[in-house]
Amino acid sequence: MNWRDGIGSGGISAVDGFSFNFTPPPSSLWLARLSRKKILATIGGVGVSIPLLLETYARSGCVQSTKKPGWAFTDSEMENIGKDVVKDITVIFHGAGGEDAYTDDLLKTLCKSIDGSGTGIVKMINWEADSADILQASVKGTTIGKELAKTLCSSMYASDNINTSRVANIHAIGISVGAFAADSFLDALSKENKSTAKNKNTAVKKLYCQLTLLDPFQQKAVLGVGYGNKYFGIADRGVDYAQQYLNTDDPVPSTNAPLQHCATIDVTALRPPEIFGHDWPLVYYTEELKRSINAGNGFVPTDKQSSRGSLKML
C-alpha cells in the first residue's frame, strides 16, 4: 500500500490510486469530546455516590436515648409489669421535633382512659436525642424499638415473674418518623417473646398488639423508598391490627399515601386551616379519643375495626 501526501497535513490524499479528502479534526474538538465524556462520567458518579454517602451517614451514629436510666419504664412500672398487675401497655413514639403541646395532649387523653388501678400503663418514649436528625431518625428509631422490646420482655420473663406477668395487650403509637420505632417495637416484641420463652423453657405469652400510625414517615434513611408501605402493619411482624391516620396535602415528603397493610382513615378534608397538615392526624386522633366514652388505651374494639388495605375518607 502506497501512501502519498501526508495525511497528517490534511488536504487530498491517495492510497493505491484512490484519492479522498481527509481533514483531521482540530485538537480542540477532540478535547471537547473528551471533556464531555469526563463531565458525564463525573455527573453519573456523583449521582450515584451522593445517595450512597447519605445512606452511609443515615446508618451511622450511636443511639443515645436508651443510655439514660429509666428511659423506657420506671423501676416501679417494670416491677408491676412482671407481677400480676399490668395488663395493658400503650407506648407513644413522638416525631422528629420531639414532644410538644400536641403530643402532651395525646398523652394526657390516653392516661385519662385508664382506671387508675395500675392495670394500664401509658408511656411517651422520649427519643428526642435521636429523632432530631431526620436522615438518621428512621434507622435509630428502628433500633430504639428493638431495645424497648428487649426491656419489656426482660421484665415479663424475669425469673420470679414467668408465671405471674399478665401483660396481654400492647398498643404502639408512632407519630411521623416515630412510625419506625413503633413498627420495630412490635416486630421485635413478637420475636423476643418467642425466643425468651424458649430460653426460659416456658410457654410463649399471648399478646394482642395494635399499631397506630399518625401521618407516618414511610421512607427509611435515603434509599429505603417505600419501606413503610412494604412493612408497616404486616401481621407476620407481630401486628394484630394496624391503623393509619392520613393527611395528604402537606409538604412533608413520604407521608401522603395510604399504607397497604393498614386500615387508613384520611382526615385531610376535615383539617382546620390554622393547623399544619402534618400535625392534623395527631390532633384529630386525640380529639377522637376524647369523644370516646371509653378510649381504652386507644385499642379499637374488634367490631369497630376495618380491614387491612381499606381507605376511609372523612
Side-chain angles (χ1 to χ4, degrees):
M1 184 176 287
N2 183 26
W3 286 80
R4 293 187 297 275
D5 290 312
I7 286 180
S9 60
I12 298 176
S13 301
V15 180
D16 292 339
F18 295 95
S19 62
F20 56 92
N21 288 318
F22 178 81
T23 302
S27 59
S28 60
L29 180 59
W30 285 104
L31 288 174
R33 288 175 179 172
L34 183 61
S35 297
R36 283 198 298 270
K37 288 181 180 180
K38 285 185 176 181
I39 291 171
L40 290 174
T42 300
I43 291 174
V46 169
V48 172
S49 63
I50 287 181
L52 290 176
L53 287 172
L54 290 174
E55 180 74 12
T56 300
Y57 169 76
R59 295 181 178 277
S60 66
C62 298
V63 170
Q64 301 297 319
S65 303
T66 59
K67 295 180 179 180
K68 302 175 183 177
W71 70 275
F73 301 104
T74 64
D75 291 341
S76 61
E77 287 170 339
M78 290 289 285
E79 185 178 353
N80 287 336
I81 288 171
K83 292 181 178 179
D84 185 15
V85 179
V86 177
K87 181 182 178 183
D88 306 320
I89 298 175
T90 295
V91 291
I92 308 166
F93 298 92
H94 59 67
E99 297 179 51
D100 57 22
Y102 291 144
T103 60
D104 290 346
D105 196 21
L106 174 61
L107 179 61
K108 291 177 182 177
T109 301
L110 284 168
C111 285
K112 288 179 181 178
S113 72
I114 56 180
D115 58 15
S117 64
T119 59
I121 290 178
V122 178
K123 294 290 293 187
M124 175 70 69
I125 305 300
N126 189 322
W127 62 297
E128 188 171 357
D130 297 300
S131 68
D133 188 325
I134 194 60
L135 280 178
Q136 296 185 334
S138 59
V139 177
K140 289 186 174 182
T142 299
T143 300
I144 286 170
K146 292 177 181 178
E147 290 300 316
L148 183 62
K150 292 178 181 177
T151 300
L152 183 56
C153 278
S154 70
S155 182
M156 290 195 304
Y157 286 96
S159 57
D160 296 334
N161 305 330
I162 290 178
N163 298 315
T164 58
S165 176
R166 63 190 291 248
V167 174
N169 303 306
I170 307 290
H171 185 193
I173 301 175
I175 303 166
S176 187
V177 75
F180 285 89
D183 167 75
S184 173
F185 167 59
L186 294 185
D187 180 36
L189 182 62
S190 176
K191 296 179 175 67
E192 198 73 25
N193 187 24
K194 294 173 184 176
S195 63
T196 306
K198 183 178 180 180
N199 293 337
K200 296 285 187 177
N201 195 28
T202 188
V204 176
K205 296 186 184 300
K206 188 175 182 179
L207 299 174
Y208 174 84
C209 297
Q210 176 180 307
L211 177 66
T212 296
L213 302 177
L214 306 177
D215 219 38
F217 198 78
Q218 301 175 30
Q219 179 176 331
K220 188 170 187 179
V222 176
L223 302 180
V225 178
Y227 180 95
N229 189 49
K230 184 176 181 180
Y231 293 110
F232 290 167
I234 293 181
D236 290 345
R237 290 168 67 84
V239 181
D240 294 289
Y241 182 66
Q243 60 178 351
Q244 170 196 16
Y245 285 76
L246 174 69
N247 183 83
T248 61
D249 66 354
D250 62 75
V252 180
S254 188
T255 64
N256 297 332
L259 298 167
Q260 63 177 330
H261 301 294
C262 294
T264 301
I265 303 96
D266 187 335
V267 298
T268 309
L270 301 179
R271 179 174 63 85
E274 67 272 13
I275 297 179
F276 179 55
H278 189 50
D279 293 332
W280 175 232
L282 165 57
V283 176
Y284 179 88
Y285 179 64
T286 302
E287 293 303 315
E288 183 179 69
L289 290 176
K290 290 177 182 179
R291 292 192 298 268
S292 301
I293 296 175
N294 179 15
N297 286 29
F299 288 101
V300 179
T302 305
D303 61 343
K304 300 292 184 182
Q305 294 179 359
S306 300
S307 59
R308 275 184 167 89
S310 63
L311 174 61
K312 181 186 293 185
M313 308 286 290
L314 299 182

